[in-house]
Amino acid sequence: MRNRLRRRFGSGDELAGKPDYALVGVVRIPELEQSPARAIGRRVLWACLALFFTSVVVWIDRDGYRDTQGNPLSYLDSLYYSAVTLSTTGYGDITPISPFARFVNIVIITPLRVLFLIVLIGTTLEVLTERSRQALKIQRWRNAVRNHTVVIGYGTKGRTAVDAMRGDGVKPSEIVVVDSEPAVLEAAAADGLVTVRGDATKSDVLRLAGVAHAKNIIVAPNRDDTAVLATLTAREINPRAKIVASIRESENTHLMRQSGANSVVVSSETAGRLLGIATMTPSVVEMIEDLLTPDIGYSIAEREVDPSETGGSPAHTRDIVLGVVRDGVLHRVDDAEVEQIEAGDRLLYVRKSTSDD
């Protein structure tokens, strides 16, 4: 199957082997937003400072300048000369005549003229330099990204998964979204997430998203066949990552397991069960929603066993324990195999949200 996948999707080096500047538009690093008024105000301020500094320099050396009428330069003349010089208008009615004044024009006023123009046309230059800036940011990100979470698909399921992780304290910088829809990627970028545009079933796209160094991979596309192929490709790239996948039909669960998914969530059946429960006991559904929302009310969490709890019963801990994870296997709290807590166990318990404290 892996050989067929390689023939179908390529060797996996098409994108990962490209230089950083060629990835601009494929990888997008979120930026801090700045209001237009503030950006324009800063440019105007820098332009005024450059003009004022130049006028002071010219006025200090005013004896080295001459106007067409032979009058000595006033500060107003120095300010006028600075304005027409920095804007490259240069009427020629005031000119430097001494060697020192000409030297000052070369080493001080000319660089200030360049700075003045950069400030005035900063918006245009930002557009021209955006590609270089993005390429540098992509290079830094690719060198630093490790132990992150890759989310494949940023539809309803993907966005909800990201919201849950952020509610549990995961930083946006530790999440990378992979999708092929530009509008979806815009929404992810607006949420402060790094995005990679491309087909998640292709290994080169997943390598570009840092799947080889990822700690967790969430597979949440809209189609089950896409989920299977994306999971198989991700598992081939990273045998150690925890892969959690969502599918619509339960009959595809075994395919997801064979492809390498550690956990499989059947979204349609889960929603159906909640709908059925809601017809009889809607308060139960409300409680389940509360437990699944980490940032408010109560939530289900996992923690390590405290040394003082070793040897005791899961029912007698300080928390409401729902299950015990031992050797990677989840046991219900009433299971005889976990009647006593052992060192190395992990407890699934009900935790109160810190926002309610």
Side-chain angles (χ1 to χ4, degrees):
M1 181 179 292
R2 292 184 177 179
N3 292 333
R4 291 199 302 270
L5 191 65
R6 288 195 182 97
R7 291 194 296 269
R8 169 65 177 83
F9 299 117
S11 62
D13 297 329
E14 290 84 350
L15 286 177
K18 286 186 176 182
D20 297 314
Y21 66 82
L23 301 176
V24 177
V26 178
V27 179
R28 181 174 177 181
I29 311 298
E31 299 186 24
L32 295 176
E33 297 293 335
Q34 185 178 26
S35 67
R38 184 175 182 181
I40 294 174
R42 290 182 60 185
R43 294 191 181 103
V44 172
L45 177 61
W46 279 109
C48 292
L49 290 175
L51 178 61
F52 173 75
F53 179 78
T54 305
S55 66
V56 172
V57 171
V58 173
W59 186 72
I60 292 175
D61 191 37
R62 56 189 177 277
D63 293 337
Y65 293 81
R66 180 184 64 187
D67 66 4
T68 56
Q69 299 177 352
N71 297 324
L73 263 65
S74 65
Y75 180 74
L76 181 60
D77 295 329
S78 301
L79 187 62
Y80 164 75
Y81 172 78
S82 302
V84 297
T85 301
L86 292 182
S87 63
T88 69
T89 305
Y91 295 118
D93 50 351
I94 299 177
T95 57
I97 57 173
S98 70
F100 182 75
R102 291 174 178 175
F103 176 76
V104 169
N105 266 261
I106 293 173
V107 300
I108 296 180
I109 297 180
T110 298
L112 284 174
R113 181 188 300 121
V114 175
L115 175 62
F116 191 81
L117 292 175
I118 290 175
V119 170
L120 288 182
I121 60 175
T123 302
T124 302
L125 290 177
E126 276 189 7
V127 174
L128 296 176
T129 59
E130 177 65 20
R131 192 174 187 88
S132 298
R133 291 174 58 246
Q134 279 288 324
L136 180 60
K137 292 172 68 175
I138 290 172
Q139 180 185 29
R140 292 175 178 174
W141 172 77
R142 294 179 70 183
N143 292 334
V145 63
R146 294 292 186 277
N147 296 322
H148 58 296
T149 299
V150 177
V151 179
I152 299 174
Y154 202 65
T156 302
K157 293 181 291 186
R159 286 196 301 270
T160 305
V162 169
D163 290 341
M165 287 189 294
R166 296 180 68 171
D168 276 333
V170 179
K171 299 178 181 179
S173 59
E174 299 174 353
I175 302 174
V176 179
V177 172
V178 180
D179 207 298
S180 58
E181 295 295 330
V184 170
L185 295 177
E186 285 290 338
D191 292 336
L193 308 176
V194 176
T195 63
V196 175
R197 176 173 56 84
D199 185 354
T201 61
K202 295 185 176 181
S203 59
D204 56 342
V205 174
L206 295 185
R207 291 182 189 277
L208 187 59
V211 163
H213 306 291
K215 181 179 181 180
N216 303 300
I217 302 171
I218 296 176
V219 183
N222 294 325
R223 294 168 54 96
D224 285 4
D225 54 350
T226 303
V228 172
L229 289 174
T231 301
L232 183 62
T233 308
R235 179 54 72 199
E236 184 180 26
I237 297 173
N238 190 337
R240 302 172 302 278
K242 180 189 295 184
I243 300 180
V244 181
S246 172
I247 55 176
R248 293 177 177 271
E249 304 298 334
S250 60
E251 62 186 18
N252 296 321
T253 301
H254 71 286
L255 292 176
M256 296 301 300
R257 294 287 187 183
Q258 291 178 358
S259 299
N262 299 99
S263 301
V264 181
V265 178
V266 183
S267 58
S268 59
E269 290 192 358
T270 302
R273 293 190 189 100
L274 292 177
L275 290 173
I277 294 172
T279 59
M280 302 298 295
T281 53
S283 57
V284 173
V285 177
E286 293 181 10
M287 178 57 67
I288 294 175
E289 290 180 348
D290 183 17
L291 292 174
L292 295 178
T293 307
D295 52 348
I296 58 174
Y298 291 90
S299 62
I300 300 176
E302 182 178 334
R303 67 172 176 85
E304 296 181 353
V305 172
D306 190 271
S308 61
E309 298 172 333
T310 304
S313 170
H316 296 155
T317 62
R318 65 179 184 273
D319 299 311
I320 302 176
V321 177
L322 303 177
V324 178
V325 180
R326 178 173 297 171
D327 298 327
V329 179
L330 174 62
H331 301 274
R332 293 195 320 183
V333 70
D334 59 350
D335 195 328
E337 294 186 21
V338 292
E339 185 176 351
Q340 289 186 339
I341 298 175
E342 298 179 359
D345 288 347
R346 297 187 63 85
L347 304 181
L348 267 65
Y349 70 103
V350 177
R351 180 190 66 184
K352 186 177 181 180
S353 173
T354 55
S355 62
D356 293 343
D357 291 345

